[in-house]
Amino acid sequence: MSVTDREAGRLTPSEIPDALVQPTTPGRILVPYGQGRIRGLDADELGTHGMAMDELVALGLPVVPGVTVPAGDAASLCEPGTARAAVELVEQLAGRRIGEAGRPLLLRLAASAPTEIAGLPPDLACLGVTPANAGDLCAVIGREEALYEVWAATVRMIAEYALDVPGSLLDDALLDTPEPRARVEALLSLVARHASRPFPDDPAEQLALAARAVLGRWDSPRARRSRRSQRLPADLGIALHVQALRIGPADHSGYGTAVSRHPETGRFAPQGSFFRGVRRSAPPPHTSEPLDRLAGAAALLEHSLLTLERHLHAPVSVDFEVRDDEISLLAASAQQRPPLRASVCLAVDLARDGAIDREEAVRRISPAQVQELLHPQLRLTGGEQLLVKGLPASPGAATGAIVLSSERALELAADGTQVVLVAHETTPADVPGMLAAVAVLTGSGGIASHAAVVARGAGKPAVCGAEGLRADRVAGTVRIGDRVLREGDAVSLDGRTGAVYAGTLSVSVAGPPPELSTLLEWADGMRRLGVRANADTAAEVSTAVALGAEGVGLCRTEHQFLGDRLPLIRRVILAADAAARDEALSALEQAQHEDFKALLTAVGHRPVTVRLLDAPLHEFLPAGGEARDAAEEQRAAALREANPMLGLRGVRLALLHERLYPAQAEALFTAWADVAATGVRPQLEVMIPLVSLPEELAAAAAYVRGAAEAVAARTGVEVPYRLGTMIETPRAALLAGELAEHAEFFSFGTNDLTQLTYGFSRDDVERQVLASYQERGFLKASPFARLDPHGVGALIALAVERARSVRPDIKLGVCGEHGGDPESIAFCDELGLDYVSCSAHRVPVARMAAAHSAVRERHDESGSVR
């Protein structure tokens, strides 16, 4: 017992005489807060509130004095004897007496069920108030309206549910008398006229009637319907809780709520509000005060919140009362949906304090939550106007003015205007505008389309395949169904959900707390699977490395010809003769040398996989009317294909343009030699794309070896490198053993491998087919978003087995966008791949997913259950 308790004559739960706790009438029981578990009672009897108060007492935290009437005996509180025993026991616990002038006491009756549910009866407070003592109580509080408002609510409910006064009469009286004191007088008058007895002055009789009212409300048809809607038993019992309501001056008393963590920073910093006077269900607006006004009680509140966090291992919320500057907890629980930053910071704090281990801290934060922290989100209120729903192609959220061309995007962005690039589909020529825009919206394409891949690489939110979207550059309009928007109109989009809204919405700023970096560092120590990034430029590499990438798993050299560089590769493909082609190749080699030099410098000593040119031919050809002359237009027309994704691309293009890969390889090896001269030696891997025949790989490998020899002869530097291939076709997977004879590594290009295994066009099928398939249950997820373990995954597993049977030390990785999907990462981990590679901004997600996979596998092997 504390000194304050002794001075006040208060009893602690362990000092309560049995005679007070156990009324003599059989079957009646009063359980002081803190004694429920000692008596072997659980939530079915104590209710959630009784259990919570038991926990608080066990932790040594200050609680409001009170007793529980277990659910099985709740009806006994309606009897005067039990009610009087409850009043006497609470008076003993509180060290005050009802009717005492100097330190007045009232009662509150509350109810709780075995689980958290909706529809519980409201609390009935101010039990013990009478017309005779109300004036003295108001004088102590100093705020008359607070007492009368709560008293009126209690009298109204008791009148209807315990004294059988018709609710319509009570409602009419309340409507006719808005002033709180007059309401009480009107209600007491109605009870005197229409009830079988006047409203009692005796506190025990008031408590008995209050218990009858609460149980009557709980047994009402409306309450039973509520339980049915929640799939709860109609006869579900509730425990009743009688609490001390200690009255004190408003300047030193009040009530409030608090949470343990700051919602924006996630750090431990109690936040909440405090109200003066008697606790009300709906405090008057604009009357709350900050917690720092609690003076001496603030320190105890902070201690209570910290203690609860360490006990519950979760951000917590509490309801509390302050009387004469002393704080007591009314309720406490783990926050149901704590801010994500709070969960991250708490996980690290608990691990640093030794309350949990680092593995548990990592397991607490999911890969999806990591992604949520890394990208801005729309702040939705429910009143937004949804324009269209497309495919969530790249996470994040943004708002900006519609632009319909890359040129316009660059022009407005240069002036500081935020723009959203809207197009039917994007091409390499649109990349500068995509990078200048804050977001991208397309009417076609899927999550593996050009727009999606570029947006993810740049960290821009994107929505693709927005059905019904028609962009008209000439008219300057965008039609979405019946709605017509004009260039310059504002839209907001959410790349995580695929939703596009009209107007400018509020966007939360992305910015994970530093504790996320700590968690990811711990995760790195737990995972087996390496994590690299798909990065094509030095800037992207720098971003990826800052986000924790261990190297570059895919450098797409064709992406170095986007935008202003597009004419370089176009000149090679459309050259009129050999001389023109050689001249174009020379210019290409010089440009790539500078690009590679910057890229390798940014990579440092890490591994980097450079894929030689692989892009569908149509991405490089000029659109109608864009050719330099009629002859070039004619050559371009001759090269256009009906199905360019399966046409002249990858190694096939290189075998027809035999100087293409040697030019790229020489530029790469020369750049490596230049960078090595500065002391930086990247671990270089050269990858041949879209191979289906071992002969294709052997021929392309000869090109690369010849380039290495040429550079060595010219510079005297023998560049160390691995040569490998991308497994993108089912035939390549089936012939993995033969390909492994020529390749030192494989990288599974799961975007194309999925496309070719299913026979799905990744640019068209998602919007038109996959959504329907998922609705009908044919597919659980888009196979372009989540690796298909039964078809595509089976091919990868077969390729892994056959490749390792020929070359046991072959390095194996995944470089499709599946490398950033947590479930796909777990599958790759199970197969024993060496690494996954994904967009730079998904690297932290992949790091966490790989750690979760490794931890889960260890627990599965040990048979432990969490």
Side-chain angles (χ1 to χ4, degrees):
M1 182 186 297
S2 69
V3 174
T4 306
D5 289 335
R6 292 187 186 281
E7 290 175 349
R10 214 176 289 160
L11 293 181
T12 62
S14 61
E15 297 176 316
I16 299 164
D18 286 344
L20 283 175
V21 175
Q22 298 277 6
T24 54
T25 306
R28 297 176 184 173
I29 183 170
L30 300 173
V31 185
Y33 288 164
Q35 287 199 359
R37 291 183 184 179
I38 297 173
R39 301 187 186 191
L41 301 177
D42 58 17
D44 287 340
E45 288 295 318
L46 294 176
T48 55
H49 177 75
M51 292 292 289
M53 300 309 278
D54 259 26
E55 236 175 347
L56 294 175
V57 172
L59 291 170
L61 298 177
V63 300
V64 63
V67 299
T68 294
V69 182
D73 297 286
S76 68
L77 191 59
C78 302
E79 301 173 12
T82 305
R84 193 165 304 283
V87 170
E88 292 173 0
L89 180 52
V90 172
E91 287 178 331
Q92 287 277 1
L93 291 169
R96 300 187 183 196
R97 295 187 62 80
I98 297 176
E100 183 179 327
R103 304 173 70 247
L105 175 71
L106 298 175
L107 300 178
R108 176 191 295 109
L109 181 66
S112 70
T115 59
E116 295 290 346
I117 65 171
L120 283 171
D123 295 354
L124 296 183
C126 291
L127 298 172
V129 181
T130 68
N133 66 19
D136 293 337
L137 291 170
C138 290
V140 173
I141 298 170
R143 299 186 179 187
E144 177 182 284
E145 76 284 352
L147 179 72
Y148 279 101
E149 184 178 307
V150 177
W151 188 15
T154 296
V155 172
R156 192 246 179 269
M157 184 165 153
I158 290 175
E160 180 176 2
Y161 288 98
L163 297 174
D164 300 323
V165 179
S168 57
L169 289 177
L170 297 167
D171 290 338
D172 288 344
L174 293 177
L175 287 171
D176 293 339
T177 50
E179 196 271 322
R181 182 169 184 167
R183 282 186 167 193
V184 172
E185 294 171 352
L187 289 170
L188 292 176
S189 176
L190 277 175
V191 170
R193 294 198 311 270
H194 296 279
S196 57
R197 53 174 291 186
F199 198 88
D201 288 342
D202 181 75
E205 292 182 32
Q206 287 187 14
L207 177 60
L209 288 176
R212 188 179 301 277
V214 167
L215 294 175
R217 171 82 171 251
W218 180 245
D219 197 43
S220 67
R222 179 178 180 181
R224 287 177 171 269
R225 286 196 301 273
S226 175
R227 292 198 287 282
R228 280 198 301 271
S229 70
Q230 298 175 70
R231 298 182 179 178
L232 297 169
D235 59 352
L236 182 70
I238 53 173
L240 298 181
H241 312 282
V242 185
Q243 297 176 342
L245 180 57
R246 295 167 292 184
I247 302 300
D251 289 345
H252 301 279
S253 304
Y255 59 98
T257 60
V259 295
S260 56
R261 299 260 156 180
H262 193 287
E264 294 297 327
T265 67
R267 304 292 173 79
F268 182 82
Q271 306 288 305
S273 21
F274 173 65
F275 299 88
R276 301 285 177 181
V278 180
R279 187 181 187 203
R280 295 184 255 188
S281 58
H286 313 301
T287 61
S288 66
E289 300 179 27
L291 295 181
D292 57 16
R293 298 288 182 86
L294 291 175
L300 186 53
L301 176 62
E302 184 172 316
H303 165 75
S304 300
L305 289 168
L306 190 60
T307 301
L308 284 165
E309 276 200 346
R310 294 308 182 263
H311 176 67
L312 297 175
H313 292 178
V316 296
S317 62
V318 299
D319 295 340
F320 63 89
E321 282 188 345
V322 175
R323 294 290 173 257
D324 299 327
D325 295 327
E326 289 185 20
I327 192 168
S328 297
L329 300 183
L330 294 166
S333 63
Q335 282 184 265
Q336 292 298 314
R337 293 178 181 82
L340 188 47
R341 287 178 177 83
S343 297
V344 170
C345 292
L346 177 63
V348 173
D349 288 347
L350 290 174
R352 285 173 171 165
D353 291 348
I356 61 176
D357 58 28
R358 291 184 175 184
E359 185 176 285
E360 173 62 22
V362 168
R363 290 178 71 252
R364 282 170 163 260
I365 305 302
S366 71
Q369 290 174 316
V370 173
Q371 177 168 289
E372 186 176 335
L373 281 168
L374 292 172
H375 299 284
Q377 308 288 325
L378 291 179
R379 292 193 176 104
L380 302 179
T381 62
E384 297 80 16
Q385 183 179 0
L386 180 68
L387 292 174
V388 68
K389 196 89 180 281
L391 298 169
S394 182
T399 183
I402 292 173
V403 293
L404 299 178
S405 69
S406 178
E407 294 78 15
R408 185 62 174 159
L410 290 166
E411 178 184 340
L412 291 181
D415 292 333
T417 303
Q418 290 193 324
V419 298
V420 175
L421 180 62
V422 181
H424 176 65
E425 62 182 353
T426 61
T427 69
D430 293 318
V431 169
M434 296 173 70
L435 299 180
V438 295
V440 178
L441 171 62
T442 67
S444 67
I447 60 175
S449 65
H450 175 270
V453 171
V454 173
R456 281 195 296 267
K460 307 273 186 179
V463 174
C464 295
E467 190 169 2
L469 185 148
R470 299 288 182 269
D472 188 335
R473 288 191 180 186
V474 176
T477 60
V478 175
R479 182 179 293 275
I480 303 175
D482 297 331
R483 179 76 178 265
V484 177
L485 303 174
R486 299 196 173 277
E487 194 165 30
D489 288 350
V491 293
S492 303
L493 61 79
D494 187 338
R496 182 175 57 88
T497 64
V500 182
Y501 301 94
T504 301
L505 304 185
S506 177
V507 179
S508 66
V509 178
E515 284 79 0
L516 180 61
S517 295
T518 301
L519 275 181
L520 289 171
E521 288 171 8
W522 294 348
D524 290 340
M526 299 171 195
R527 60 182 168 87
R528 182 200 64 80
L529 200 62
V531 177
R532 300 189 192 180
N534 299 341
D536 311 315
T537 66
E540 290 179 6
V541 171
S542 297
T543 297
V545 169
L547 292 171
E550 299 164 339
V552 174
L554 177 63
C555 169
R556 295 155 291 203
T557 55
E558 65 274 7
H559 281 197
Q560 296 171 347
F561 300 116
L562 303 178
D564 295 341
R565 292 282 186 86
L566 186 58
L568 287 174
I569 189 64
R570 189 174 284 173
R571 283 172 55 198
V572 174
I573 295 171
L574 297 176
D577 50 43
R581 182 169 292 113
D582 289 343
E583 181 182 345
L585 283 168
S586 177
L588 179 146
E589 186 175 346
Q590 291 177 21
Q592 288 234 284
H593 172 265
E594 294 304 316
D595 290 339
F596 287 142
K597 189 174 176 180
L599 179 90
L600 295 174
T601 299
V603 167
H605 298 283
R606 302 174 185 84
V608 52
T609 303
V610 178
R611 181 180 75 185
L612 301 182
L613 197 69
D614 177 30
L617 199 58
H618 72 290
E619 292 190 1
F620 295 140
L621 296 177
E626 292 183 1
R628 292 185 297 177
D629 52 44
E632 185 175 271
E633 174 60 38
Q634 189 174 8
R635 290 193 295 274
L639 289 172
R640 290 196 176 92
E641 300 169 314
N643 192 347
M645 295 301 291
L646 299 180
L648 191 58
R649 55 175 289 208
V651 71
R652 304 163 193 168
L653 180 64
L655 293 175
L656 292 182
H657 295 272
E658 295 188 357
R659 278 289 301 147
L660 180 58
Y661 277 7
Q664 282 195 290
E666 286 190 31
L668 176 60
F669 292 142
T670 302
W672 190 96
D674 291 345
V675 171
T678 68
V680 176
R681 297 176 65 86
Q683 302 170 42
L684 185 59
E685 299 171 349
V686 182
M687 185 159 65
I688 310 300
L690 209 70
V691 167
S692 294
L693 305 169
E695 293 81 3
E696 289 175 320
L697 179 56
Y703 292 157
V704 175
R705 284 194 295 270
E709 292 166 1
V711 171
R714 188 172 68 250
T715 65
V717 177
E718 291 191 6
V719 178
Y721 68 95
R722 290 173 181 259
L723 190 136
T725 188
M726 202 167 184
I727 304 298
E728 300 169 88
T729 69
R731 194 173 197 276
L734 294 170
L735 297 182
E738 295 179 47
L739 294 176
E741 295 176 3
H742 305 280
E744 298 171 277
F745 71 88
F746 284 170
S747 183
F748 292 94
T750 50
N751 296 343
D752 270 315
L753 188 57
T754 297
Q755 177 172 235
L756 296 175
T757 300
Y758 274 96
F760 284 161
S761 166
R762 68 190 197 188
D763 287 327
D764 302 309
V765 75
E766 285 195 81
R767 180 167 55 88
Q768 299 181 14
V769 176
L770 296 189
S772 170
Y773 277 22
Q774 290 177 68
E775 289 174 3
R776 299 172 73 175
F778 294 179
L779 294 170
K780 292 182 178 180
S782 165
F784 292 106
R786 185 169 301 155
L787 193 63
D788 158 37
H790 306 295
V792 179
L795 281 173
I796 295 174
L798 181 66
V800 168
E801 179 186 352
R802 292 184 177 180
R804 284 182 171 154
S805 69
V806 173
R807 192 186 291 266
D809 62 345
I810 192 169
K811 185 181 288 188
L812 301 170
V814 161
C815 63
E817 276 305 308
H818 297 97
D821 171 64
E823 289 193 28
S824 305
I825 289 169
F827 180 78
C828 294
D829 199 18
E830 291 172 11
L831 287 183
L833 300 189
D834 296 301
Y835 68 88
V836 293
S837 188
C838 58
S839 299
H841 293 273
R842 299 181 81 183
V843 164
V845 178
R847 292 164 65 192
M848 185 63 80
H852 276 229
S853 174
V855 169
R856 190 163 50 245
E857 185 176 346
R858 283 197 294 271
H859 284 297
D860 289 346
E861 289 174 354
S862 65
S864 64
V865 178
R866 290 206 174 194

